[in-house]
């Protein structure tokens, strides 16, 4: 069976994809399954499920606050896997876990990969995973379970390293729109647009998704016209926290993306 991430990009080559991030266990401990099923029903192509961690270095205040709340609510990796297992048969779109190395190491790399597959997860993004550790330790185990480990690139990443990542990963490449932390932006400046064009011109093997700072029509269109699609995190997390209801949060998000 083909990995769902690979299948998504194969099936949707011309469609501009929209992927959303939310933090598991926020706003409530038990809403993970409901949020995922609602997003799928509303046409979201791929979902990033955040593993809450006490020290999320790459995240801005919105996602940091969501992680703190989720931990207070009692969310853990073990709890998350059991929630995902419950809805596994109902989820057809790719799920990607996004989390830091510490909780994953604590859980155990092999146990993590095995639990991902058992609960219907197709990939993982581990922002603080050193590439050498990925190659030497994580990749052989992830490959055994057909789990995609997604790597991030930024405007500061050298062409040599980008090509190295492209040659040694599968699924998609996460293009971070700026070297800053996560958070909504009103527009992408010339430097970011130039970065998007530069990566486009490299003709990479893997499809790319652009994330960080997408919150309105301008940033969404810029991302979708320069990659396979866009990933939205902070904006959706804010709306979900405010409304406590995934449908309502999505209504407001789609409205913001039209303006």
């Amino acid at each position: 069976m083909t990995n769902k991430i690979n299948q998504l990009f194969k099936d949707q080559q011309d469609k501009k994809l929209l992927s959303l991030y939310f933090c598991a266990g926020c706003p409530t401990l038990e809403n993970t399954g409901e949020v995922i099923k609602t997003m799928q029903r509303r046409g979201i192509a791929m979902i990033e499920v955040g593993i809450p961690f006490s020290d999320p270095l790459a995240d801005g205040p919105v996602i940091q606050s969501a992680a703190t709340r989720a931990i207070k609510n009692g969310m853990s990796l073990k709890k998350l896997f059991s929630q995902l297992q419950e809805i596994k048969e109902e989820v057809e779109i790719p799920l990607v876990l996004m989390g830091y190395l510490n909780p994953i190491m604590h859980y155990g790399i092999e146990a993590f990969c095995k639990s991902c597959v058992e609960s219907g997860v197709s990939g993982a993004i581990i922002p603080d995973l050193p590439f050498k550790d990925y190659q030497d330790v994580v990749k052989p185990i992830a490959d055994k379970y057909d789990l995609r480990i997604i790597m991030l690139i930024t405007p500061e990443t050298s062409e040599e390293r980008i090509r190295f990542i492209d040659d040694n990963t599968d699924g998609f490449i996460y293009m971070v729109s700026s070297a800053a932390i996560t958070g909504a932006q009103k527009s992408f400046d010339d430097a970011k647009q130039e970065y998007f064009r530069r990566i486009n011109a490299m003709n990479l093997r893997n499809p790319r998704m652009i994330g960080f700072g997408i919150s309105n029509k301008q940033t969404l269109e810029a991302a979708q016209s320069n990659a396979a699609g866009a990933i939205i995190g902070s904006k959706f997390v804010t709306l979900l926290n405010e409304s406590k209801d995934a449908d309502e949060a999505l209504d407001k998000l789609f409205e913001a993306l039209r303006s």
Side-chain angles (χ1 to χ4, degrees):
M1 195 173 148
T2 310
N3 180 287
K4 284 183 182 176
I5 295 171
N6 297 85
Q7 196 62 51
L8 172 70
F9 289 105
K10 192 176 164 194
D11 293 346
Q12 310 267 16
Q13 282 178 354
D14 301 320
K15 197 170 169 204
K16 296 306 181 185
L17 304 174
L18 179 61
S19 172
L20 296 187
Y21 166 97
F22 79 104
C23 182
C26 178
T28 64
L29 180 61
E30 301 296 345
N31 74 336
T32 308
E34 178 220 330
V35 172
I36 290 170
K37 287 190 286 183
T38 304
M39 284 196 209
Q40 176 174 267
R41 177 169 50 79
R42 298 292 298 272
I44 300 305
M46 177 167 60
I47 301 171
E48 278 180 34
V49 184
I51 304 164
F53 179 49
S54 53
D55 192 21
L57 299 172
D59 294 315
V62 170
I63 292 174
Q64 279 191 16
S65 163
T68 303
R69 190 163 169 186
I71 291 166
K72 278 187 185 151
N73 285 345
M75 182 49 78
S76 66
L77 204 39
K78 191 178 173 187
K79 175 82 178 162
L80 174 56
F81 280 130
S82 76
Q83 289 180 343
L84 294 176
Q85 193 119 26
E86 283 171 23
I87 59 162
K88 182 185 172 183
E89 302 308 319
E90 299 170 74
V91 181
E92 291 165 14
I93 61 175
L95 298 181
V96 178
L97 290 191
M98 184 163 189
Y100 291 86
L101 195 52
N102 186 298
I104 294 169
M105 292 284 284
H106 192 71
Y107 193 87
I109 299 287
E110 178 120 18
F112 174 78
C113 293
K114 186 168 183 281
S115 292
C116 278
V117 173
E118 287 170 352
S119 54
V121 172
S122 302
I125 301 167
I126 311 168
D128 58 342
L129 172 66
F131 201 82
K132 187 162 186 350
D133 291 352
Y134 158 72
Q135 277 194 297
D136 297 349
V137 180
V138 178
K139 188 178 188 299
I141 301 169
D143 286 351
K144 180 173 132 185
Y145 290 96
D146 197 34
L147 187 73
R148 303 288 174 263
I149 305 296
I150 307 303
M151 288 286 167
L152 290 86
I153 63 170
T154 76
E156 272 69 56
T157 311
S158 70
E159 181 169 336
E160 184 188 18
R161 185 170 173 82
I162 292 168
R163 293 211 181 275
F164 191 64
I165 287 170
D166 191 43
D167 289 343
N168 290 279
T169 62
D170 190 20
F172 69 96
I173 290 173
Y174 191 133
M175 269 180 80
V176 176
S177 67
S178 70
I181 54 172
T182 57
Q185 296 171 29
K186 285 199 165 51
S187 65
F188 290 138
D189 60 23
D190 291 346
K192 290 192 184 76
Q193 301 272 8
E194 176 50 40
Y195 158 59
F196 297 159
R197 284 193 290 272
R198 177 166 60 86
I199 305 302
N200 263 336
M202 288 177 70
N203 293 316
L204 300 175
R205 181 178 60 87
N206 280 297
R208 299 165 326 280
M209 295 287 284
I210 296 176
F212 283 45
I214 296 163
S215 65
N216 58 17
K217 188 180 180 184
Q218 192 176 357
T219 47
L220 176 70
E221 286 180 352
Q224 289 185 332
S225 61
N226 285 286
I231 299 168
I232 297 178
S234 298
K235 181 74 177 177
F236 180 68
V237 170
T238 300
L239 294 169
L240 186 60
N241 282 344
E242 285 170 0
S243 66
K244 314 280 187 289
D245 176 84
D247 257 317
E248 196 181 314
L250 285 165
D251 283 342
K252 288 180 177 169
L253 177 69
F254 293 147
E255 195 182 315
L257 295 177
R258 283 192 294 269
S259 58

